Amino acid sequence: MNSTDIILSHKQTPSNPLLRSIGYGKSCAVLRLCTLASIFLLVSAVVNPALAQGDESSVESSFWLWAFLGRLHPMIVHFPISLLFMALLMEIIRWRKGTTDFQAATHVLILVGALSAVVSAGLGLLLVNTEEYGSDVLPIHQWAGIATMVLAFVTVIASSKNNHRVKRALLIITVIGVTITGHNGASLTHGEDYLTSVLPSQSAGTGAHSEFLLSAQDGNLTESQLAELNIQVRTILAHHCYKCHGKTKVKGELRLDTKESIMEGGEDGVVVVAGHPGKSELIRRVSLPRNHKDAMPEKGKGLDESEIALLKFWIQQGAPWPDGPEKSLYRVAALEPRKPAIPEAIDNRTHPIDRFVNDYFEKNKIDWSEPVDDRTYIRRVYLDVIGLIPPPDSIDGFMKDSRPGKRELLVTRLLNRNDDYAQQWLTFWNDALRNDYTGTGYITNGRYGITAWLYASLQQNKPYNLFVKELISPARESEGFIKGIQWRGTINASQRTEMQAAQNVSQVFLGLNLKCASCHDSFISDWKLEEAYAFANIFSDTTLEINRCDKPTGKMAGRKILFQELGEIDPEAVTSERLKQLADFLVQPKDGRLYRTLVNRIWAQLMGRGIIEPVDVMDNEPWSQDLLDWLASDFVEDGYDIKKLMYKILTSQTYQLPSVGLESAELVAAPDFMFRGMVRRRLTAEQFSDAVSLAIQPVYPDSAVVYKLLPESIRKTIPFPRAGLVNNDPFLTALGRPNRETVSTSRMSQANLLQALELTNGTQFNEAMRRGAVKWKEKYPDTNAMIREIYRNALGRMPQTDEADIALKTLGQQPSETAVQDFIWAMTLHPEFQLIY
């Protein structure tokens, strides 16, 4: 019996006259169908992030019918809103008067409102997948709508059972949900200040730029202030306007990206009248309500008050626009290496990393915390280095060890476990290098694996400069990375294998996103379409014609490296020679970008967050430029040795600081982030599976390991079938393992609904729990001994008195296999088991 059957399993003849009148069986069938539809919509929203992000490529390629149906959402959504509100009103009247007159009518309203909520939610998902929405309100609106839909169905079930008190409470909650959803929907279409903008307390000119505006009011602006003002104005225009009024797309004959074009205007006349904001069409358009036909931008989130105030101020100052080359709108990090002086040691903190962090702490008034205890440290290091939880005896021995340098010795010992290290870090590099064991292209020879080469490289701790060279200028066993995926059928021009190589090399090794620039001049960086094609041509046997937004332009690009300071590619050389030149240029010590990117990635893996975030946007501001630069330069001087880099990080007091919560670190935007210590994070899919295999019962059989793709000697090295060496499946997918058809250099640590469903009902995991229950019950007939050993295996400690009492009370002296299965299942979901503290 599935969950829908359980919910709808009340098979007795209904007492509700409405259900009798419409046919109870048909009612259940309809409700069952719509419940399944609700679940489908919920899972779709979870597993398809594009539905919540309004991806531009999906917008451009959407079939017209989906776009048309999606635009019915604002009209259809008012139907369930009005029905549910009316149902609540009638229910309140019925309750106050103590009558049953409205009971059947109320049920009809709730049922029809719930059904129409499914239609509305479906159309809403179509709308967000066919229109551009950039607002942070979108996910709130989406999930509130889905939650309201689910609540409406629960209310229907309560109503059908004549549970009036529960129905009334649920109906109130549902109407509150409708209100919240409706408010956020209005914010999307009319602006987030739709309600508050008319309040008397709201005044123009407040916001992010108010401090600059107020300080600039007195007297003429200095040259530096004018330059800063221009940068801020161009940033606003770039984020909101360049998609339609830039170099690559000129709607209404209007461009807003150059001085000449912005002053000349388009087909609607002069856009900017210097010195006169009130006469400028630009100000009129961006100030209009979002639902006005002339409002700009046409789609997505409009400008906020501070941005409009800044544009007015800029025009009032004469709309200054600098002559000569324009300064970049985006921070472009220096290419060359830099090794800053190590700060002075304070309070016996002699480790170089700690000295840089101490300098950062002093500047930001942050106090050092005491290092974590031995139990926390050994578990943290085991998981970070070899991906396994430490055996209970190793924990006990480490805690009893009184040697002052025992933590350094532990790190050294773990780093020397070469096969365990390779099996752990194979997962990270598989994600980053798009290497998998099955999937798109492997059957048709449109894709080649690099598993054996990658495993051997990690097992031997191959120097990183050689590692990069062998991937970019490859031999047969390592060519799969730059070969990319040769898709079957028609593909977008930006996904040709040569362009894939350019995108992947730039992202993985340089922390640079070329995907936008592969289709048009990037809106998020300075990289241009022509530069992306010139880089892709290095990997191509023929010269590629430039396609803008998948349309041929008739133009050709040359062959150039992205950072031309590193060297000049010979355009006439054969492809293999060009790749050798590219590899040699990129791994030079003077390419500081390559080594900063690697150091930042390793730091992020060990500390939960990079010195620069996101790790694929290396032009962002680091929280400590000196620390990042020193680590990169030291890495080069240490012979490009990743294990030495890890040793430095793992033995620092900085790594040994207590962890900080996800809310205070992972979700904070980069400019506002304050480093305080390692970010507490959940085990990866592979780490969790391996931890269950070690502590409770192997999750996978030996036959699941992809031995044919790995070195022959690996059979003797794996203690059990490790999850990183098996094909992807629903269990690992739900816990965060990507499909590896795109580069993935980090995984989200936040839990989600799909993971909860898999851990609760998934076959792979729960079958392991069932086998484990049989094993543990046979091995430990004494319940108290079983409880102690399961705690010791899973959490590395004995249970506390209250924990043991609760477990014993739950299991009983003669526990059934089902009870034992429930107990070990609960232990694997314990925060101490699931998290790296």
Side-chain angles (χ1 to χ4, degrees):
M1 182 179 291
N2 60 32
S3 58
T4 308
D5 292 323
I6 294 171
I7 293 173
L8 301 174
S9 61
H10 46 292
K11 296 295 184 183
Q12 69 273 17
T13 301
S15 59
N16 192 301
L18 171 72
L19 295 183
R20 288 200 302 270
S21 66
I22 65 175
Y24 182 66
K26 293 180 180 178
S27 175
C28 280
V30 172
L31 189 57
R32 183 193 304 264
L33 179 62
C34 292
T35 302
L36 291 173
S38 301
I39 294 172
F40 170 76
L41 290 172
L42 182 62
V43 172
S44 296
V46 171
V47 302
N48 189 357
L51 296 180
Q53 296 172 356
D55 180 65
E56 185 180 348
S57 62
S58 66
V59 172
E60 294 294 334
S61 60
S62 296
F63 181 44
W64 69 267
L65 179 59
W66 309 142
F68 174 76
L69 292 175
R71 293 194 179 190
L72 294 178
H73 169 75
M75 179 176 67
I76 300 297
V77 75
H78 291 90
F79 188 58
I81 291 175
S82 58
L83 289 178
L84 293 171
F85 268 92
M86 184 58 69
L88 178 60
L89 177 61
M90 296 178 69
E91 179 64 21
I92 292 173
I93 294 173
R94 190 197 65 76
W95 171 56
R96 293 298 299 272
K97 290 188 174 183
T99 179
T100 60
D101 292 346
F102 299 137
Q103 184 172 330
T106 302
H107 186 83
V108 170
L109 291 174
I110 296 173
L111 178 60
V112 177
L115 299 180
S116 57
V118 174
V119 178
S120 177
L123 295 179
L125 289 176
L126 285 176
L127 180 64
V128 77
N129 203 31
T130 55
E131 299 284 348
E132 293 181 59
Y133 290 95
S135 174
D136 294 336
V137 175
L138 176 59
I140 301 174
H141 175 65
Q142 175 186 327
W143 288 108
I146 292 175
T148 301
M149 176 186 69
V150 174
L151 280 169
F153 275 105
V154 178
T155 308
V156 172
I157 295 169
S159 178
S160 67
K161 291 186 175 183
N162 290 326
N163 193 334
H164 300 302
R165 182 174 297 179
V166 174
K167 176 183 74 173
R168 198 175 301 125
L170 287 171
L171 188 54
I172 292 172
I173 296 172
T174 302
V175 170
I176 292 172
V178 166
T179 305
I180 295 171
T181 307
H183 168 69
N184 287 301
S187 297
L188 279 172
T189 55
H190 300 296
E192 294 179 32
D193 61 346
Y194 184 55
L195 290 178
T196 59
S197 61
V198 296
L199 298 178
S201 59
Q202 301 300 309
S203 58
T206 60
H209 299 291
S210 59
E211 183 178 348
F212 171 75
L213 290 173
L214 291 173
S215 66
Q217 296 293 332
D218 298 328
N220 295 326
L221 298 182
T222 65
E223 187 175 335
S224 61
Q225 286 177 322
L226 283 171
E228 177 61 24
L229 174 60
N230 180 258
I231 285 290
Q232 292 187 24
V233 168
R234 287 171 53 221
T235 300
I236 293 172
L237 297 177
H239 289 166
H240 294 282
C241 308
Y242 285 3
K243 288 184 180 181
C244 295
H245 303 289
K247 179 181 178 181
T248 59
K249 188 175 183 181
V250 187
K251 289 188 66 174
E253 300 179 8
L254 172 65
R255 287 182 61 177
L256 297 174
D257 58 338
T258 68
K259 179 180 180 179
E260 295 75 18
S261 59
I262 202 169
M263 296 304 175
E264 291 175 1
E267 61 185 16
D268 293 325
V270 178
V271 176
V272 171
V273 180
H276 300 283
K279 297 180 181 180
S280 299
E281 183 69 7
L282 174 65
I283 299 301
R284 186 185 79 84
R285 292 292 191 101
V286 299
S287 301
L288 289 170
R290 297 298 301 139
N291 60 340
H292 195 285
K293 65 176 183 177
D294 290 337
M296 291 294 172
E298 288 182 339
K299 298 178 181 179
K301 182 181 176 182
L303 278 66
D304 61 37
E305 289 186 4
S306 64
E307 291 172 323
I308 295 173
L310 182 63
L311 291 177
K312 289 179 178 178
F313 178 73
W314 169 67
I315 295 173
Q316 196 167 13
Q317 295 294 316
W321 198 281
D323 295 322
E326 294 178 350
K327 182 180 178 182
S328 171
L329 294 174
Y330 312 93
R331 178 185 183 270
V332 179
L335 177 69
E336 65 277 1
R338 168 178 169 265
K339 189 166 187 180
I342 301 175
E344 181 182 355
I346 300 176
D347 296 333
N348 295 320
R349 292 189 178 91
T350 58
H351 195 292
I353 291 176
D354 298 332
R355 289 157 73 171
F356 282 107
V357 172
N358 187 72
D359 190 51
Y360 172 84
F361 278 0
E362 286 188 348
K363 290 177 182 176
N364 291 281
K365 298 181 173 55
I366 299 173
D367 296 327
W368 282 88
S369 301
E370 290 297 317
V372 295
D373 59 35
D374 285 342
R375 187 190 308 280
T376 302
Y377 182 78
I378 187 175
R379 188 175 186 273
R380 185 185 288 185
V381 172
Y382 258 78
L383 285 165
D384 280 341
V385 177
I386 62 173
L388 304 173
I389 57 175
D393 291 341
S394 296
I395 297 174
D396 294 341
F398 185 69
M399 293 178 67
K400 293 175 183 177
D401 191 344
S402 58
R403 290 175 294 176
K406 66 178 183 179
R407 295 192 176 189
E408 289 80 2
L409 292 172
L410 171 65
V411 172
T412 300
R413 190 163 62 250
L414 290 175
L415 287 172
N416 286 334
R417 290 172 59 168
N418 295 329
D419 283 291
D420 290 335
Y421 167 86
Q423 289 156 25
Q424 153 70 357
W425 286 87
L426 183 69
T427 292
F428 168 76
W429 285 108
N430 275 341
D431 287 359
L433 301 177
R434 302 205 313 179
N435 181 62
D436 215 339
Y437 314 133
T438 59
T440 303
Y442 286 116
I443 297 175
T444 62
N445 289 327
R447 186 177 181 186
Y448 299 94
I450 60 172
T451 303
W453 173 88
L454 182 55
Y455 186 91
S457 298
L458 295 170
Q459 200 267 353
Q460 299 161 14
N461 191 31
K462 184 172 292 179
Y464 186 65
N465 60 336
L466 185 57
F467 181 89
V468 172
K469 287 183 70 171
E470 291 182 8
L471 284 168
I472 295 177
S473 177
R476 180 72 179 92
E477 63 271 14
S478 62
E479 69 178 354
F481 174 60
I482 64 167
K483 286 285 187 181
I485 301 175
Q486 188 173 351
W487 303 96
R488 299 181 69 182
T490 303
I491 61 166
N492 187 289
S494 66
Q495 280 301 300
R496 291 188 57 150
T497 53
E498 300 89 345
M499 188 59 79
Q500 288 181 44
Q503 294 168 353
N504 298 339
V505 168
S506 63
Q507 182 177 352
V508 174
F509 300 128
L510 301 173
L512 186 153
N513 188 341
L514 271 192
K515 291 178 181 176
C516 289
S518 303
C519 191
H520 49 72
D521 289 352
S522 176
F523 301 129
I524 59 173
S525 73
D526 288 323
W527 295 104
K528 306 300 182 185
L529 178 65
E530 185 175 345
E531 293 172 312
Y533 267 86
F535 190 47
N537 278 331
I538 298 175
F539 303 90
S540 177
D541 293 331
T542 60
T543 303
L544 305 178
E545 179 184 3
I546 297 176
N547 279 246
R548 177 174 288 111
C549 297
D550 212 26
K551 296 179 181 178
T553 64
K555 298 178 181 178
M556 301 291 183
R559 289 187 168 105
K560 294 181 180 179
I561 192 171
L562 289 174
F563 295 100
Q564 296 179 41
E565 306 95 307
L566 296 175
E568 186 173 336
I569 298 292
D570 180 1
E572 303 302 326
V574 297
T575 303
S576 58
E577 180 58 30
R578 291 196 305 272
L579 295 179
K580 183 178 183 303
Q581 292 174 19
L582 174 63
D584 289 339
F585 289 152
L586 286 181
V587 302
Q588 295 173 96
K590 71 176 184 178
D591 183 7
R593 180 68 171 247
L594 175 72
Y595 302 115
R596 287 191 195 95
T597 302
L598 182 277
V599 163
N600 192 56
R601 294 199 190 286
I602 300 298
W603 182 278
Q605 289 298 304
L606 300 179
M607 303 296 290
R609 181 183 172 116
I611 301 174
I612 292 178
E613 279 288 327
V615 292
D616 290 334
V617 189
M618 287 298 290
D619 282 324
N620 279 358
E621 196 77 39
W623 59 260
S624 175
Q625 186 71 62
D626 284 350
L627 175 59
L628 179 65
D629 287 348
W630 183 87
L631 283 171
S633 295
D634 185 72
F635 174 68
V636 171
E637 292 175 2
D638 256 344
Y640 312 95
D641 190 320
I642 293 179
K643 285 189 176 182
K644 287 184 179 179
L645 169 64
M646 291 177 62
Y647 179 87
K648 281 189 173 67
I649 298 173
L650 296 169
T651 56
S652 67
Q653 288 187 41
T654 302
Y655 177 82
Q656 299 173 49
L657 287 168
S659 61
V660 298
L662 292 171
E663 293 78 11
S664 60
E666 188 178 65
L667 303 181
V668 178
D672 300 319
F673 172 73
M674 297 286 286
F675 175 79
R676 297 179 184 275
M678 187 198 85
V679 178
R680 193 175 309 132
R681 59 196 189 276
R682 295 174 65 246
L683 301 179
T684 65
E686 293 83 0
Q687 288 174 331
F688 176 77
S689 178
D690 290 350
V692 171
S693 296
L694 271 176
I696 306 296
Q697 170 71 25
V699 174
Y700 292 97
D702 185 67
S703 59
V705 178
V706 290
Y707 287 115
K708 291 182 179 180
L709 303 178
L710 294 160
E712 184 65 32
S713 60
I714 198 172
R715 289 180 180 272
K716 301 176 182 179
T717 66
I718 55 174
F720 58 88
R722 297 194 63 170
L725 306 178
V726 305
N727 291 328
N728 205 356
D729 61 13
F731 172 61
L732 295 173
T733 298
L735 268 64
R737 177 162 156 178
N739 64 16
R740 293 172 178 160
E741 290 181 4
T742 59
V743 168
S744 178
T745 54
S746 59
R747 297 186 185 180
M748 282 296 294
S749 189
Q750 293 282 4
N752 59 49
L753 178 60
L754 185 61
Q755 294 171 4
L757 291 172
E758 183 65 31
L759 292 174
T760 304
N761 298 311
T763 302
Q764 190 71 43
F765 177 63
N766 283 284
E767 177 59 25
M769 294 295 96
R770 187 195 64 77
R771 296 194 307 271
V774 174
K775 181 187 75 174
W776 281 93
K777 190 174 184 299
E778 290 178 353
K779 187 174 182 179
Y780 292 97
D782 177 42
T783 305
N784 288 299
M786 180 196 300
I787 293 169
R788 288 194 299 270
E789 285 306 307
I790 288 177
Y791 260 90
R792 194 162 174 265
N793 269 32
L795 306 185
R797 63 173 176 84
M798 300 295 282
Q800 299 174 4
T801 302
D802 58 340
E803 291 173 328
D805 292 343
I806 293 172
L808 183 60
K809 183 178 178 180
T810 302
L811 288 168
Q813 291 296 344
Q814 298 294 326
S816 64
E817 288 181 2
T818 301
V820 175
Q821 181 177 345
D822 288 343
F823 176 60
I824 59 179
W825 177 85
M827 289 300 297
T828 63
L829 301 188
H830 196 293
E832 284 186 47
F833 188 85
Q834 289 251 340
L835 299 177
I836 301 178
Y837 281 94

